[in-house]
Amino acid sequence: MRLLHTIILLLTLVRSSAADCQENNQQNQGDLKGFDSLAALGESILSRLTFESDQGIWTVYPAGGYSQRTGLEFGLMPVYSWKNLKRETPVGTVNTLSSSLQFSTKGMVELRSELDWYHSPDWQLSVRLEALRIHDQYWDAWSLPQSNTANNYEAKRLGLKMQVLRHAGHRIYTGLHTQVWHHQFKPEDADASFGGHTGSSGDWLTGAGPVIVMDRRDHVLYPRRGSYMQASWTLFTHEKGNVYQNYLMDFRHFIDAGKPVVALQGLWEYASGNLPFYGLPLLGGKDRLRGIGHSKRVVDQAVWLLRGELRMPLWWRFGAVAFVETGQASARPSFDWNELIFSQGGGLRFRILPKEPLHIRVDVAWSSAGTQGLFISLKEAF
């Protein structure tokens, strides 16, 4: 009799569990249908902002962003992407032309256009045109005692940055890059010592030099595997013949971990000579240590950083990242454990093109230097 009661009890529990599972499955299916409906609505809205043809894809988005330096940004951003129809291009490449007209709550006005053109398997061209007016701040070199004092000024910048690369074999590219800028500055603090900084009078800045790139990534916008390396030397002239040099090395590696991607980067930059204050290498900002919110807060003649980032898909066009970073700024290339700045944070990603992984990113981070960063911008940090 006890055995019969036990069997009846087990059957009752199984039936109850099955009913609960069925109910949960129905609820989950309902939730998935709700998410699918929301995704379909999102695609319908985005399709009205996307214009596709045989030649390429136009997308027009409201432009937006945020950083401690600029404040809240708003404007318009058209993006054009295309594949070369009559010639082969390297695997994982996509030609993009992005432009933006943006204003900010801190008085910034920026007109920018960026071109990445993979003309053929042998030639690559990247160009950036920019006109900028911004109410900015400048701190002295991080290694100097007065580095906590900020100088307020209005800056105007107009210029061009261009790089041309030629394939040398084995996915190694060599070429030249050049920059031409015109700077104007106006101090906003009556008692500031801003006028004593090299380059504060404003003038033309020109630079040029060789560059070598090894690019073995599977995609240029959102790599899942492979490596990237860039090394460059640039000779700059400014203010009636003053000269300085800039050295840069950048190494990145990407590991496919299934759905997630592990991204790693090491970067070193050094500038020597008679530098203008705006030529000092940056350690912080949206593309370096993101826990340093103002890109000019930590600057010096030598900077380096190491970082790792975990990139994960979430749902529909959304993804997420988590990252840890560390680096140092100093007067000369060096390593000092006590001078390291650590940064950690996370963010969200949204893919704006229907077929290519071009992302708008939102990153939030904190640093051991007591600073924070919040950035909204286009493309990955690295």
Side-chain angles (χ1 to χ4, degrees):
M1 183 66 67
R2 289 182 179 178
L3 178 60
L4 179 60
H5 286 167
T6 302
I7 293 173
I8 293 173
L9 179 60
L10 289 172
L11 290 173
T12 302
L13 290 173
V14 170
R15 182 179 179 183
S16 176
S17 298
D20 290 343
C21 289
Q22 184 176 4
E23 183 179 352
N24 290 334
N25 287 335
Q26 290 175 351
Q27 183 177 356
N28 291 335
Q29 289 176 0
D31 292 341
L32 290 175
K33 288 181 180 179
F35 281 120
D36 290 341
S37 298
L38 186 60
L41 176 62
E43 288 291 348
S44 177
I45 294 173
L46 292 175
S47 67
R48 299 178 184 274
L49 303 173
T50 303
F51 309 93
E52 189 169 358
S53 68
D54 294 337
Q55 288 73 36
I57 300 174
W58 277 102
T59 56
V60 182
Y61 285 95
Y66 178 85
S67 72
Q68 182 181 337
R69 183 185 180 197
T70 63
L72 186 65
E73 304 169 14
F74 52 92
L76 192 66
M77 180 182 65
V79 179
Y80 181 58
S81 65
W82 75 98
K83 295 278 190 178
N84 295 337
L85 299 179
K86 296 183 179 180
R87 62 178 66 90
E88 183 184 355
T89 55
V91 176
T93 61
V94 55
N95 304 310
T96 56
L97 173 62
S98 61
S99 301
S100 64
L101 174 60
Q102 295 198 104
F103 306 87
S104 85
T105 54
K106 290 189 175 182
M108 181 199 78
V109 180
E110 181 187 51
L111 177 62
R112 174 183 289 198
S113 185
E114 296 186 53
L115 169 68
D116 290 305
W117 184 19
Y118 298 87
H119 177 267
S120 70
D122 292 327
W123 290 98
Q124 301 176 15
L125 173 68
S126 62
V127 181
R128 187 179 92 193
L129 296 168
E130 180 183 291
L132 173 70
R133 188 198 72 187
I134 186 172
H135 296 275
D136 212 347
Q137 289 182 294
Y138 165 73
W139 288 261
D140 283 322
W142 186 249
S143 57
L144 297 178
Q146 62 269 34
S147 62
N148 288 326
T149 303
N151 296 282
N152 298 301
Y153 63 97
E154 180 186 83
K156 295 180 181 179
R157 182 173 72 199
L158 175 67
L160 161 74
K161 185 176 182 179
M162 182 171 65
Q163 177 173 281
V164 180
L165 295 177
R166 165 77 176 180
H167 188 219
H170 305 286
R171 301 188 73 170
I172 296 174
Y173 303 83
T174 59
L176 296 172
H177 65 149
T178 184
Q179 304 181 38
V180 180
W181 302 98
H182 187 264
H183 294 269
Q184 291 179 294
F185 304 104
K186 179 182 178 182
E188 295 184 346
D189 295 336
D191 58 346
S193 60
F194 177 77
H197 295 296
T198 301
S200 59
S201 61
D203 204 342
W204 287 96
L205 172 74
T206 60
V211 59
I212 180 170
V213 173
M214 180 196 72
D215 192 352
R216 295 177 178 172
R217 299 171 294 177
D218 62 338
H219 202 285
V220 295
L221 294 177
Y222 190 85
R224 297 191 58 86
R225 64 180 67 87
S227 299
Y228 172 90
M229 184 277 293
Q230 175 181 335
S232 66
W233 172 78
T234 313
L235 179 66
F236 287 97
T237 61
H238 68 101
E239 282 193 323
K240 300 178 181 180
N242 287 323
V243 175
Y244 74 98
Q245 302 175 69
N246 179 279
Y247 306 86
L248 175 70
M249 294 189 66
D250 182 0
F251 178 76
R252 309 172 189 183
H253 185 65
F254 304 90
I255 303 170
D256 190 342
K259 287 188 177 181
V261 175
V262 177
L264 306 170
Q265 183 187 27
L267 182 143
W268 174 83
E269 185 177 8
Y270 175 59
S272 66
N274 192 9
L275 280 76
F277 75 95
Y278 52 84
L280 288 169
L282 313 173
L283 186 62
K286 66 180 181 179
D287 295 324
R288 298 200 173 179
L289 294 192
R290 284 161 279 184
I292 303 172
H294 197 296
S295 59
K296 294 183 179 293
R297 180 63 187 88
V298 181
V299 298
D300 219 314
Q301 287 188 242
V303 301
W304 63 264
L305 64 87
L306 294 172
R307 59 180 165 182
E309 184 170 285
L310 181 65
R311 302 172 178 175
M312 302 159 287
L314 290 179
W315 163 75
W316 185 39
R317 296 191 181 199
F318 286 97
V321 304
F323 51 85
V324 291
E325 310 166 314
T326 188
Q328 180 182 340
S330 55
R332 293 290 182 270
S334 64
F335 174 84
D336 186 339
W337 180 265
N338 295 321
E339 295 297 324
L340 295 184
I341 298 176
F342 295 91
S343 168
Q344 60 278 324
L348 292 174
R349 299 293 183 267
F350 180 77
R351 178 171 53 85
I352 64 173
L353 294 178
K355 298 178 182 179
E356 298 292 347
L358 180 62
H359 293 144
I360 292 176
R361 61 183 171 103
V362 181
D363 288 329
V364 181
W366 298 263
S367 82
S368 60
T371 58
Q372 304 82 37
L374 170 61
F375 301 100
I376 305 173
S377 58
L378 186 67
K379 296 183 181 180
E380 300 296 332
F382 65 97

